[in-house]
């Protein structure tokens, strides 16, 4: 499961990307940090798909 969350406060709070791998393992990071990571992962997956199609 993947979702965005933000604290509820009277001031501006950071938005976090949360990734739940299983019930006991959760990764949480600010979306500012997540954006470059997701871009790199997308390139990696696209590269793997291209290699698979070439076979």
């Amino acid at each position: 499961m993947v979702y965005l969350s933000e604290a509820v406060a009277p001031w501006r709070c950071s938005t976090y990307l949360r990734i739940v791998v299983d019930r006991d393992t959760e990764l949480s990071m600010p979306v500012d940090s997540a954006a470059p990571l997701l871009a790199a992962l997308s390139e990696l997956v696209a590269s793997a798909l291209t290699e698979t199609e070439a076979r």
Side-chain angles (χ1 to χ4, degrees):
M1 174 185 353
V2 178
Y3 62 96
L4 297 175
S5 69
E6 188 175 287
V8 178
W11 53 86
R12 182 167 168 82
C13 297
S14 296
T15 301
Y16 282 80
L17 173 70
R18 300 196 187 271
I19 303 170
V20 179
V21 179
D22 57 41
R23 291 181 182 168
D24 298 324
T25 307
E26 181 177 316
L27 172 67
S28 178
M29 68 179 77
V31 292
D32 294 343
S33 299
L37 177 61
L38 291 174
L41 287 172
S42 294
E43 287 182 30
L44 185 62
V45 169
S47 173
L49 290 173
T50 301
E51 284 182 20
T52 302
E53 291 172 357
R55 291 183 195 169

